[in-house]
Structure formats: C-alpha cells, structure tokens
Amino acid sequence: MNASDIAAARTAAVAATIERIRAIEADQGVTRASLDAIKTEMLALAAQEHLFPLAEFSPPPAGEKGSRRYLLQEDPNNRFALYMNALNPGNSTKPHDHTTWAVVVAVEGQELNKVYKRFDDGSDPDRCDLRVDHEVMVEQGRGIALMPEDIHSIHTTGDRPTRHLHMYGLALEKLDNRRAFDAETGEVKPYNKNFMAPTAGGR
C-alpha cells in the first residue's frame, strides 16, 4: 500500500471504530464494563499496526522529553476524540485525573501505568491521601481503561519509543478542571501535562 492508500484505510478504520464506541456508550453508559468493551474495540484498531507508520507518527527527537500528539478524529461537539501519542523512553507524569473516560492502547512500545487509590474523603480540595493501588503495563495487546475520576501516572519504559492510541470521551483541549496529585506531600493542584499541542499530521 502506498501512503495515500494507508491514510484512506486508517481514516476508514478509525471512523468505524469510533462509530462502534459511540454505540457502546449510548447503549451502556460510562461504566467499567462499557469501557472494557471500548478497550476491546481499541485493541483491534491498534493491532492494525500498518495503519500507523512511524514515518507519520514519529516521537520527538531521541532523548527529548515530552510528546508529539496527533489528532486522528474528533466529533464536532469535541466528544469521542482519538489521538496518537508518541513519546520517547524515560518520560513520566505526575498522578492525575482526566474528568472524562479514557482508554489507552499500544501500537508500539511500553507505558507503565500506576493507578492510585484515595484514602481521604476528598473534602479538602487541596489535599489528598494517595497510594498506588495497582499497575498496568500498556503494550501491544494490552491496554487500560479509566473512569473520569480514576487517578493514574504514566512512565514510558523499555528502549523503544511508544506510539499509543488515546481515546477520550471529551477532547483533551476541553478538559479544564483536571488535577495533579502528589502522593508524597498530599498536595492537589491543577494539572498541566506540558505535552505538545496536537498536530493534524496523520489525520
């Protein structure tokens, strides 16, 4: 397949996947079970690795921190936004929430997700008691599904860049109330990922 054929096939596959995801949410709402069903759809899309060539979805130059985020599709009302996120090994984030549901699956590379549990009642908006509950390695054939209130941190491991598909119930650019949590100090503050803005390349 040439580049234009790959792009057309990718556009069609992404559109069909998101159509099924819309139907899952409409039928089941946002629950752990519905997000697992959405994750199954996303894993099938990610398995078509040829649709996401490195030449179109490259990470930053070797050794550079941060990510390149490519917007693949987003509804006109900013819902059901799908991105390709490309990072180098050695990146990490603070624990954070999303305020919308999220599903992340891998085309290439490994990303360790630490998922946290709060032991406070949340009554103080500036403080938390947070501890790691479990870990999930996002890699080929394995993803993670997060409810809006779930808290996680990511850590890119291994020696290869990651190319991961991130599916959100609402576009990242519209998530204005996200929070970052410090498990050591208990501090809670607004979250700023400092990742690069999405590009239309690979759309």
Side-chain angles (χ1 to χ4, degrees):
M1 297 175 71
N2 60 36
S4 61
D5 290 339
I6 292 172
R10 178 174 60 248
T11 297
V14 165
T17 299
I18 293 179
E19 183 176 359
R20 292 191 293 271
I21 288 170
R22 285 193 205 96
I24 291 169
E25 193 200 78
D27 183 55
Q28 302 181 33
V30 178
T31 66
R32 298 284 181 192
S34 66
L35 293 188
D36 280 343
I38 290 172
K39 183 173 68 175
T40 297
E41 294 289 348
M42 290 298 301
L43 287 169
L45 179 63
Q48 302 176 72
E49 186 176 354
H50 67 284
L51 297 180
F52 306 98
L54 182 60
E56 290 191 60
F57 300 99
S58 61
E64 186 175 311
K65 297 294 185 180
S67 74
R68 284 181 176 164
R69 192 169 71 236
Y70 302 87
L71 177 62
L72 296 173
Q73 184 174 310
E74 177 183 338
D75 282 9
N77 60 356
N78 305 119
R79 296 224 52 221
F80 301 102
L82 176 62
Y83 307 86
M84 168 67 77
N85 210 33
L87 296 88
N88 290 313
N91 276 276
S92 63
T93 67
K94 290 185 176 294
H96 59 274
D97 61 13
H98 289 104
T99 69
T100 189
W101 61 262
V103 174
V104 180
V105 297
V107 174
E108 179 186 24
Q110 293 182 315
E111 177 187 281
L112 177 65
N113 281 250
K114 296 181 180 180
V115 182
Y116 297 79
K117 181 177 181 180
R118 289 190 70 163
F119 289 85
D120 62 295
D121 62 8
S123 58
D124 185 342
D126 299 318
R127 308 296 302 174
C128 67
D129 180 6
L130 198 70
R131 303 170 211 173
V132 175
D133 183 66
H134 63 278
E135 298 182 349
V136 177
M137 181 66 79
V138 175
E139 56 192 348
Q140 286 183 323
R142 189 178 188 195
I144 187 169
L146 298 161
M147 294 286 284
E149 67 276 11
D150 286 345
I151 300 168
H152 79 140
S153 61
I154 65 171
H155 312 267
T156 53
T157 61
D159 56 7
R160 293 192 304 167
T162 64
R163 285 179 294 137
H164 288 183
L165 295 172
H166 289 233
M167 182 78 218
Y168 296 94
L170 183 66
L172 284 172
E173 296 74 29
K174 299 299 180 180
L175 305 181
D176 299 325
N177 297 309
R178 301 176 66 189
R179 295 170 297 171
F181 303 83
D182 192 313
E184 294 183 2
T185 68
E187 183 182 18
V188 181
K189 58 184 180 181
Y191 181 64
N192 179 7
K193 291 197 301 182
N194 291 319
F195 282 168
M196 295 177 63
T199 174
R203 192 181 176 92

